[in-house]
Amino acid sequence: MSSASGGADLGRGEGTEEQRQRGIWILVAAALAFAVLVLPQVVEGDDRTSFAGSALPDGAAPRLPTSPGGLPSNGPTALPSASLPGYGSGGGGGGGRPAETRAPASPTVAPDPTDEAYRAVSPGDCLAVYDTGDGQYNSRMPVQVACGAGNAFMWVSAVRSSGGACPQGPGQNSMSYTSRGRTTALCLTRKFAVGYCLLAEQTGSGQQARMNAGLMTVVDCDAKRVPARYNRILHITGVYKAPAGASSANCARVQGDRTYYWSWLVNDGRTLLCTMVYQG
């Protein structure tokens, strides 16, 4: 009986030892699994969050981030909280978040289409603008057109800061516009074309007749009424390079022409403008 009992005890002892060893191996395996599966994730997370600090050279002091404009910061409170949301939050004794600073907003200036139109004009451009005979131009806007167009009445010789700086003479004038204290003046030279008409004022008759033409005007040749300051419509019959000693005698279009012409030297005396009273 004792022999059988002893064998049973030995078997239980061996079984207990095997269970203990098996438990140890289970613990070792669990530790290894923890080291392989869990620990690298924790280190990776630590590295990711502390990368800025670990990248500093040995012995170097960490520097605060700069502001968005590239200006170095003297400390967290010198930067707007919107730039560094982690700085300046509430805490004991140190006060709350510093007040945000904002650059003053620039005043909104309404666009001025007329000023823009004037500033878009350059010397050499042509405009569909003319004197109506009522002391004003047909348009306050300098309407640009191709210089070969039928309504290209004016040629811009220069752009100045005041109308007084523009040349003044027969067939020359200016139009200007002032906006926000700045004046843009367009120096105009009339483009004359055969077949067009302009306004004039005649005084006297016969050998005493005088004709004062509005050389910057344009009018319908068949107009039934004219502005009060004028009483004649002149028809342009010729635009010639002015010869030496040019006069109305140079306006004849055919041999023996007996038409009564009125003429002017325009374009600084280089062009002879020939006209006659419009007969319809």
Side-chain angles (χ1 to χ4, degrees), residues 118-232:
Y118 269 78
R119 291 174 59 79
V121 176
S122 301
D125 290 341
C126 290
L127 309 178
V129 174
Y130 60 88
D131 183 350
T132 63
D134 292 317
Q136 60 187 1
Y137 288 108
N138 63 311
S139 172
R140 66 192 298 262
M141 296 284 283
V143 182
Q144 295 191 47
V145 294
C147 287
N151 59 344
F153 302 117
M154 301 293 171
W155 176 74
V156 180
S157 61
V159 179
R160 298 284 185 259
S161 59
S162 71
C166 291
Q168 299 292 324
Q172 294 177 320
N173 210 328
S174 65
M175 61 186 300
S176 61
Y177 183 76
T178 301
S179 176
R180 303 183 183 96
R182 178 181 59 195
T183 299
T184 302
L186 309 180
C187 303
L188 306 178
T189 296
R190 173 67 192 277
K191 282 173 58 67
F192 296 101
V194 174
Y196 286 75
C197 287
L198 52 85
L199 295 166
E201 178 192 21
Q202 179 179 337
T203 58
S205 60
Q207 296 297 320
Q208 304 301 316
R210 295 291 182 269
M211 193 74 75
N212 296 314
L215 296 177
M216 306 299 280
T217 64
V218 176
V219 66
D220 182 354
C221 294
D222 292 313
K224 302 304 180 184
R225 299 180 60 185
V226 297
R229 61 184 297 186
Y230 298 106
N231 58 13
R232 290 289 184 267

Side-chain angles (χ1 to χ4, degrees), residues 15-32:
T16 301
E17 184 65 23
E18 290 178 0
Q19 291 175 355
R20 186 182 300 112
Q21 291 179 357
R22 187 179 299 111
I24 292 173
W25 283 112
I26 290 173
L27 291 176
V28 171
L32 289 174

